[in-house]
Amino acid sequence: MYELVNLEKEEYENFVKNSKKSHFLQSYAWGEFEKKERNLTPYYLGLKKDKKILATALLLQKHLPMHYSYFYSPRGFVIDYEKEELFIKMTKEITKFVKQKKGIFLKIDPDIVRKSYNYKEEENKLTHNPEKIFKMIKKAGFKHLGFTQNFETKQPRFTFRIDLTQSMEEIKEHFSKTTKQRINKAKKLNTKVELGTVKDIHEFFHLMTLTEERKDFVSYKESYYKNLYDIFNQDNKMTLFLGKINIKEIINNLNLNKTQIEKEIQSLPTENLSKSAKSKLKELEKRLEKTKEDINKYQKYQKEYKDTITLNAHMIIEYANKAWVLYAGNHNILTETYANYHTYLKHLEFCKERNLKIYDQFGTIGDLNKDNSRLGLHEFKKKFGGDYIEFLGEFDYITNKPLYFIFNKLVPFYRNHKKKKSRKELKNEVNRNKR
């Protein structure tokens, strides 16, 4: 006999972490984070038969007026999606639970790949039939919300994933030519990548605000990142990577280079120069001028930032055997050092060393038209050679049609108002931090 029950933390986590489809968004920690940060009520449910867990779901309850609510199961149920009878039964039990809580709908966005392309843009063969699973989910009573192309959904419908079961040499071989060149340049400039601590969250937040201001939005308060870091480091692992440059060291190297160029110029004859000597002198003078400009530039930065600048900070989350590049903040100066590329390489190597199996860049677009403002983000992530993944998208199971209709008509207005208010508050916080 099937039974839907509330699971204790250990029992829930053991099942999810040992599932092929485990995702940090299905974790116990994510439920606790959403409870603290957004005041959602998490439920950790399991479908049992003869005391054995067959499937689980993290349900997040959003409370609405008049004791109504709606539910979201991030990245869907933790279940074998090729077992139709089991999925139908799970849906029946979960939606019964939703109705009992006066839920007007349940949203899922399963981690089921619809299409996948390798770094050569060749379509990968899937081990499952996405069309069959898609039809099964609809047969169970869910309404598909469309094949969106950008970031309209709660979670990205497209991403890049790197298979960490490959050797590090194979992974780097799939990098684009420009990525390899930029990593090499970053290394020549002695850019450093360090592991941060909770004390570095403030610096991380500062870089996130710089990144988001360039795109004319600010998403979260500093407390959001601190809470996320604290909660996920209780039982799992959240790592902060900081990409830095030592300005003093760069200036010293530039001065050495300047001295060497000057010596080469002095070694040339002062009169009756041959054509090749004239050409060499012109090239050396050009290099000398560029080196002097660079010294002057870095000396100005040194006055403002002292000897070291953190140019980027990346937040990497681990769960089970996977890792996600959850957030990345970048400074708006010295991008020509390519410290950002070096940081990506370092946390890829870090994840590989920890024997993780999948490295997910957590979000890109499906609309690849050249006028899409997000295309730059897509092209950057693509350069690291991962598989380009498309998921099935979002599905809603409607349990109260009249209220669902009203919800979808009124909520966009409410959310726009709330976003404007939040943006104003966040910008005020950012401005306070600048003082």
Side-chain angles (χ1 to χ4, degrees):
M1 181 178 175
Y2 291 103
E3 183 184 16
L4 187 71
V5 297
N6 283 293
L7 298 176
E8 294 299 322
K9 179 180 178 180
E10 185 177 356
E11 192 176 22
Y12 177 84
E13 284 285 276
N14 282 341
F15 183 86
V16 177
K17 284 188 173 181
N18 287 299
S19 167
K20 288 181 181 179
K21 289 294 176 187
S22 60
H23 198 290
F24 82 93
L25 290 170
Q26 298 164 328
S27 68
Y28 191 93
W30 186 254
E32 296 306 293
F33 170 70
E34 289 285 66
K35 179 180 179 180
K36 184 171 185 177
E37 186 64 30
R38 295 193 176 98
N39 201 30
L40 304 182
T41 302
Y43 296 93
Y44 307 95
L45 303 177
L47 185 67
K48 286 187 174 183
K49 186 178 183 182
D50 301 326
K51 297 184 179 180
K52 181 183 178 182
I53 302 174
L54 301 178
T56 64
L58 166 61
L59 288 196
L60 299 173
Q61 182 183 22
K62 171 66 176 178
H63 299 276
L64 302 172
M66 298 174 66
H67 303 291
Y68 285 103
S69 61
Y70 70 84
F71 288 80
Y72 172 44
S73 181
R75 284 311 184 209
F77 309 149
V78 184
I79 194 171
D80 185 344
Y81 281 87
E82 296 189 89
K83 294 182 177 178
E84 183 172 335
E85 183 182 344
L86 180 62
F87 182 80
I88 298 292
K89 183 63 180 175
M90 181 69 165
T91 300
K92 183 179 178 182
E93 294 300 319
I94 291 284
T95 52
K96 187 191 300 182
F97 178 89
V98 169
K99 289 174 185 176
Q100 289 170 352
K101 299 287 183 180
K102 294 189 72 174
I104 62 176
F105 70 93
L106 163 68
K107 182 182 293 294
I108 65 171
D109 46 11
D111 188 357
I112 300 295
V113 176
R114 185 185 182 215
K115 289 182 181 179
S116 170
Y117 298 88
N118 66 21
Y119 72 105
K120 294 180 180 178
E121 299 185 0
E122 302 165 335
E123 188 164 0
N124 294 319
K125 187 176 181 180
L126 302 176
T127 57
H128 61 276
N129 185 334
E131 187 61 31
K132 183 179 178 182
I133 294 172
F134 180 82
K135 288 178 179 177
M136 176 196 71
I137 295 172
K138 292 185 71 177
K139 181 182 175 182
F142 285 92
K143 171 188 175 183
H144 188 239
L145 301 186
F147 296 113
T148 56
Q149 296 294 300
N150 292 292
F151 289 97
E152 304 95 332
T153 49
K154 281 185 175 291
Q155 309 303 334
R157 207 175 74 80
F158 295 85
T159 192
F160 283 102
R161 282 180 172 174
I162 294 175
D163 177 8
L164 295 179
T165 63
Q166 304 172 90
S167 69
M168 201 61 219
E169 288 69 30
E170 286 178 294
I171 291 169
K172 288 192 282 190
E173 185 57 35
H174 297 164
F175 290 176
S176 71
K177 184 179 178 181
T178 55
T179 298
K180 294 173 186 175
Q181 290 171 342
R182 288 171 179 179
I183 288 171
N184 287 335
K185 182 173 180 181
K187 287 180 177 180
K188 284 179 182 178
L189 286 170
N190 288 324
T191 59
K192 305 287 192 301
V193 182
E194 300 174 1
L195 298 186
T197 68
V198 68
K199 294 177 182 177
D200 297 298
I201 293 291
H202 182 71
E203 182 73 13
F204 168 79
F205 174 69
H206 172 64
L207 292 171
M208 285 299 297
T209 59
L210 290 177
T211 303
E212 293 170 346
E213 279 180 340
R214 291 196 295 272
K215 300 170 185 176
D216 194 31
F217 78 97
V218 181
S219 54
Y220 303 115
K221 295 181 179 180
E222 185 173 345
S223 59
Y224 173 95
Y225 301 108
K226 172 116 181 7
N227 288 337
L228 184 63
Y229 186 90
D230 287 342
I231 288 172
F232 266 91
N233 272 318
Q234 289 175 14
D235 301 308
N236 301 291
K237 189 166 181 62
M238 170 84 73
T239 310
L240 202 56
F241 289 80
L242 307 173
K244 300 183 176 186
I245 59 165
N246 187 309
I247 302 176
K248 184 179 179 180
E249 189 178 87
I250 290 174
I251 292 172
N252 287 340
N253 289 335
L254 285 169
N255 276 320
L256 289 172
N257 191 35
K258 173 176 166 285
T259 301
Q260 181 61 38
I261 296 169
E262 287 171 340
K263 284 180 180 178
E264 289 185 54
I265 291 173
Q266 288 169 7
S267 69
L268 293 172
T270 56
E271 296 179 0
N272 301 320
L273 285 130
S274 65
K275 188 175 180 181
S276 61
K278 285 179 181 177
S279 177
K280 186 175 182 181
L281 177 61
K282 188 176 180 180
E283 188 268 331
L284 286 169
E285 287 174 340
K286 189 176 179 181
R287 280 173 53 196
L288 182 62
E289 185 61 30
K290 176 66 169 63
T291 303
K292 286 178 178 178
E293 287 175 4
D294 285 345
I295 291 170
N296 185 52
K297 177 179 71 175
Y298 281 103
Q299 283 175 338
K300 287 179 180 177
Y301 283 125
Q302 190 179 35
K303 285 180 182 178
E304 185 174 356
Y305 296 99
K306 305 278 168 72
D307 286 343
T308 304
I309 307 179
T310 302
L311 292 179
N312 53 75
H314 300 176
M315 195 175 268
I316 313 300
I317 194 167
E318 295 175 41
Y319 186 71
N321 61 354
K322 306 176 185 73
W324 291 262
V325 186
L326 202 55
Y327 298 111
N330 299 291
H331 217 305
N332 48 18
I333 60 170
L334 296 173
T335 55
E336 70 274 15
T337 64
Y338 300 116
N340 194 32
Y341 285 80
H342 194 193
T343 307
Y344 263 92
L345 173 65
K346 283 296 183 182
H347 52 67
L348 247 175
E349 290 175 340
F350 176 87
C351 293
K352 175 68 179 170
E353 287 167 5
R354 288 179 62 78
N355 294 317
L356 301 175
K357 305 302 180 188
I358 293 175
Y359 171 95
D360 191 317
Q361 290 182 278
F362 203 60
T364 186
I365 54 173
D367 173 13
L368 304 182
N369 288 319
K370 61 182 180 181
D371 58 347
N372 190 330
S373 62
R374 300 276 187 168
L375 189 61
L377 171 73
H378 175 86
E379 292 299 324
F380 174 78
K381 292 185 176 183
K382 180 181 178 181
K383 288 176 182 177
F384 290 89
D387 290 335
Y388 180 39
I389 303 288
E390 177 188 358
F391 299 109
L392 289 182
E394 289 185 346
F395 298 80
D396 282 356
Y397 191 106
I398 305 165
T399 51
N400 187 321
K401 287 185 179 180
L403 287 182
Y404 180 80
F405 175 80
I406 294 169
F407 177 87
N408 281 302
K409 289 294 181 182
L410 295 181
V411 163
F413 295 104
Y414 169 74
R415 284 181 177 163
N416 284 335
H417 171 72
K418 192 175 179 181
K419 278 181 183 178
K420 286 178 182 178
K421 184 180 178 183
S422 296
R423 283 178 184 173
K424 187 176 179 180
E425 291 173 352
L426 284 164
K427 285 188 176 181
N428 287 339
E429 181 176 341
V430 170
N431 289 333
R432 285 195 298 272
N433 284 331
K434 288 178 180 176
R435 291 170 190 167

